[in-house]
């Protein structure tokens, strides 16, 4: 199984065996209505202290400040020499522009070549990550900033992270996610605010379990109440460093 720890917005730590994955994790300061890591949790993260001290793959869906703040990432990579960033060339350019000493960390960053409409998969023993482009929610038609989806296979689970994906069928049409038997999908809250978003979730993704993420802190109680009534099986993390364990289907049934 996989231990899933919530950080902020769409930031999560995934842990299974010797592997850890940090995704959209480095948010020190709130951005607009969206939150950030509490000070003590942020200190532990950037200093590479437990639980952030393991062999770690770092993923970033896109360059917006509620998903990535470069100085936090730079400090973390400086303190955890077992960590490596895998992301789009756009993200790496953004880190290069914002880092104080890119040379110190640049060798542990790998650009992932992407072709629109196709997945790019990197594999290691016991883990793989597939990268693919998804349109950003409410982005103008000429927007050049990529939003990546990630399909992570770890601990016997297939975990989907959508970043700030638009809840439209067109965004997902090329990837046949519904045929992949996804165990856990981390989905931004706006998917549940429209019939189309719910339809995309049920028809284009079809996950066994769902985490609703990216909830503005001021709306947490209201949205939690709504979800309890309308989507009671959806998981919501309310506090930073809150952790839950998710099991493969066979083990979950046995339990």
């Amino acid at each position: 199984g996989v231990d899933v720890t919530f950080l902020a917005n769409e930031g999560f730590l995934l842990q299974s065996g010797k592997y850890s994955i940090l995704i959209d994790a480095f948010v020190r300061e709130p951005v607009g209505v969206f939150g950030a890591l509490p000070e003590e949790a942020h200190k532990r993260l950037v200093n590479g202290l437990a639980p952030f001290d393991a062999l770690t793959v770092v993923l970033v869906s896109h360059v917006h400040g509620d998903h990535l703040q470069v100085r936090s990432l730079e400090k973390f990579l400086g303190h955890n020499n077992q960590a490596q960033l895998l992301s789009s060339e756009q993200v790496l350019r953004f880190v290069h522009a914002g880092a104080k000493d890119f040379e110190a960390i640049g060798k542990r960053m790998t650009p992932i070549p992407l072709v629109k409409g196709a997945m790019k998969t990197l594999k290691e023993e016991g883990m793989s990550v597939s990268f693919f482009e998804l349109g950003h929610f409410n982005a103008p038609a000429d927007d050049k900033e990529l939003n990546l989806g990630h399909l992570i296979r770890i601990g016997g689970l297939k975990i989907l992270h959508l970043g700030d994906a638009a809840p439209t069928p067109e965004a997902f049409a090329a990837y046949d996610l519904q045929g992949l038997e996804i165990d856990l999908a981390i989905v931004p809250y706006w998917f549940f605010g429209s019939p189309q978003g719910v339809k995309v979730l049920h028809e284009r993704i079809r996950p066994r379990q769902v985490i609703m993420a990216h909830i503005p802190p001021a709306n947490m109680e209201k949205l939690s109440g709504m979800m309890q009534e309308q989507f009671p099986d959806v998981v919501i993390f309310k506090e930073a460093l809150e952790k839950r364990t998710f099991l493969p289907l066979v083990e979950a049934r046995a339990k």
Side-chain angles (χ1 to χ4, degrees), residues 48 53 110 118 137 166 180 189-190 208 210 243:
D53 56 345
T110 301
F137 179 54
L180 296 180
Y189 74 94
W190 51 80
R208 181 165 58 90
V210 176
K243 181 169 72 173

Side-chain angles (χ1 to χ4, degrees), residues 25-74:
F26 297 94
V27 182
R28 180 184 183 184
E29 301 291 341
V31 176
V33 299
F34 298 111
L37 273 167
E39 183 177 359
E40 184 58 34
H42 182 263
K43 284 182 179 179
R44 298 195 69 82
L45 172 63
V46 299
N47 286 297
L49 301 176
F52 308 109
D53 56 345
L55 179 67
T56 303
V57 172
V58 178
L59 306 174
V60 177
S61 65
H62 62 294
V63 299
H64 292 168
D66 51 339
H67 294 255
L68 172 63
Q69 295 175 13
V70 172
R71 286 291 293 131
S72 294
L73 170 62
E74 182 180 14

